[in-house]
Amino acid sequence: MDAARLRQLLDDVAAGHVDPDDAVTQLRRLPFADLGHARVDHHRAIRQGLAEAVYGPGKSPAQCATIVTELLSVGDRPILLTRVSDAQAAAALDSNPGGDRVGDTVIWRSAQPVDEFTVLIATAGTADLPVADECASVLAAHGVAATRLTDVGVAGVHRLLESVDVVSAADVVIVVAGMEGALASVVGGITGSPIIAVPTSVGYGSSFEGVTALLAMLSSCAAGVTVVGIDNGYGAACAALRLLGVLERVGAERP
């Protein structure tokens, strides 16, 4: 349920197209649905403009399937199941046909493409691609097709400089990098667009599974770089969607 759909329901009741008792039945499920093992938040799209996503780790395949089923039963917004195992994806897709799996993310009801924005995802190395893929799939679910710039880390900075025009033209740049995380600062120095930096757990012993990249990005000399958590491609995509205001275009309106 989102604000537009709620308004339509109230209009239908006022016009006599929907019985008030039927409307009450729909509204009863609006705040959340208690499945016993989970309380599915149907109200999130109204509050945030972004429907609840299902985080796979720690859940059984059956739990993933029932939560997705419940989310699909209300509204028409994109539904995402993230960080899935093969068993979780299979169970969710068997119970809810029509989803598309992209890497470790399964998506139902992708939004129509939104063409007026350009989001660039730049990765320092090939090893950062799984995080970038998660980010791109979340953006795509909400109608934003990201441009990809792969393997442009600072160890060979000429690879990035060759694409300066592409970087400068983007409305939002998402930088995905492990090791020492320096790519975010370099990109921040060549474009005035918002930059969302994603540290990854890629690197040798002194990278401390992404902590070094995280601290480096937080300490960036390029002012205004936004940093999300380690390996959090999902969070970076959500941050970009909020910046661009795309969520309103796929059905959400702030009250």
Side-chain angles (χ1 to χ4, degrees):
M1 182 69 73
D2 55 40
R5 210 172 159 80
L6 177 59
R7 188 175 292 110
Q8 183 62 54
L9 176 61
L10 295 175
D11 288 344
D12 288 343
V13 171
H17 301 315
V18 174
D19 184 84
D21 289 339
D22 293 335
V24 169
T25 298
Q26 294 186 47
L27 292 173
R28 188 176 292 119
R29 301 176 68 196
L30 177 58
F32 65 88
D34 192 346
L35 305 182
H37 58 81
R39 296 187 179 189
V40 179
D41 186 0
H42 289 301
H43 199 266
R44 193 169 303 183
I46 293 177
R47 300 193 316 272
Q48 297 181 2
L50 186 69
E52 182 175 14
V54 187
Y55 179 71
K59 296 180 177 68
S60 70
Q63 288 171 338
C64 290
T66 56
I67 294 171
V68 170
T69 298
E70 177 59 32
L71 286 169
L72 288 170
S73 71
V74 176
D76 55 5
R77 299 184 60 79
I79 303 300
L80 294 98
L81 174 59
T82 65
R83 306 289 176 95
V84 295
S85 66
D86 290 341
Q88 289 170 329
L93 287 167
D94 285 345
S95 298
N96 305 280
D100 296 313
R101 182 174 181 182
V102 182
D104 293 335
T105 305
V106 186
I107 304 164
W108 290 262
R109 299 193 308 216
S110 290
Q112 293 297 313
V114 178
D115 295 329
E116 63 262 46
F117 300 118
T118 302
V119 176
L120 174 67
I121 301 176
T123 53
T126 304
D128 300 309
L129 285 178
V131 176
D133 289 343
E134 178 181 71
C135 183
S137 65
V138 175
L139 289 169
H142 292 86
V144 177
T147 302
R148 303 289 290 269
L149 195 57
T150 301
D151 200 18
V152 290
V154 298
V157 73
H158 57 290
R159 299 171 299 179
L160 174 66
L161 298 178
E162 185 181 51
S163 301
V164 166
D165 290 344
V166 175
V167 175
S168 300
D171 295 305
V172 175
V173 182
I174 299 172
V175 177
V176 184
M179 300 291 186
E180 82 285 19
L183 182 62
S185 291
V186 175
V187 172
I190 61 177
T191 179
S193 298
I195 296 172
I196 302 166
V198 190
T200 71
S201 52
V202 171
Y204 299 105
S206 59
S207 69
F208 298 110
E209 298 183 342
V211 173
T212 296
L214 171 64
L215 295 177
M217 290 172 171
L218 288 170
S219 304
S220 174
C221 61
V225 173
T226 298
V227 185
V228 299
I230 297 169
D231 292 337
N232 192 5
Y234 170 81
C238 291
L241 292 169
R242 285 177 181 253
L243 281 170
L244 296 172
V246 169
L247 302 179
E248 293 186 2
R249 289 168 171 76
V250 293
E253 296 179 2
R254 293 198 179 263

